[in-house]
Amino acid sequence: MPTYSIGQAARLLRVSPETVRRWADGGRLPMGRDGSGNRVIDGVGLARFTQRRAAEDERAEVVRPPTSVRNALTGIVTGLTVDDVVAQVEIQAGPHRVVSLVTREAVEELDLAVGVTVTARVPSTNVQVDRA
């Protein structure tokens, strides 16, 4: 079973190591010790925690348009190249860079520009999964 250090978990959760420690000390995130006495989080417990956290975030959203796509990355437009028909939209969503090709018309309708906050929705049929 994989285990994660506090630093690794913090990077995955996009929070500080201190936040991970507070969650563990408060009982929100199960943590144990490895053979050397270092604090570790087991992979299954971390996976369950991320699911609970995502559900809490989803309930906290005020307005969300209905969609069947579950893989949503909120970020900021960092680049935009538009020609007569198609446009390339570059988005930085946390540590993830997402590049999307859309129509020029969509860019105009959405009033996209560098610096605008957007959500990239990725259908699961088009996602490749690699083991890290």
Side-chain angles (χ1 to χ4, degrees):
M1 175 182 342
T3 60
Y4 295 87
S5 69
I6 290 173
Q8 290 171 319
R11 282 189 295 282
L12 287 169
L13 296 167
R14 293 175 33 196
V15 298
S16 72
E18 185 54 40
T19 297
V20 173
R21 283 186 197 92
R22 275 196 313 273
W23 285 338
D25 292 344
R28 288 186 64 199
L29 180 60
M31 190 173 293
R33 299 220 178 245
D34 65 11
S36 301
N38 297 314
R39 295 174 79 175
V40 293
I41 304 155
D42 86 281
V44 173
L46 183 59
R48 286 188 184 127
F49 177 79
T50 59
Q51 288 175 320
R52 282 194 312 269
R53 207 168 154 236
E56 290 168 5
D57 289 349
E58 190 172 285
R59 284 191 300 271
E61 284 187 37
V62 178
V63 176
R64 189 174 108 205
T67 181
S68 65
V69 180
R70 297 295 178 243
N71 305 311
L73 301 167
T74 300
I76 188 166
V77 175
T78 57
L80 190 60
T81 306
V82 183
D83 70 14
D84 291 339
V85 178
V86 72
Q88 177 179 304
V89 182
E90 295 180 45
I91 303 162
Q92 192 67 41
H96 309 290
R97 178 177 174 258
V98 179
V99 179
S100 179
L101 296 177
V102 298
T103 63
R104 175 192 50 79
E105 182 180 13
V107 168
E108 292 170 356
E109 285 178 6
L110 294 170
D111 198 24
L112 295 183
V114 171
V116 171
T117 302
V118 295
T119 300
R121 298 194 184 277
V122 184
S124 60
T125 55
N126 297 327
V127 177
Q128 177 180 335
V129 176
D130 295 332
R131 185 169 176 156

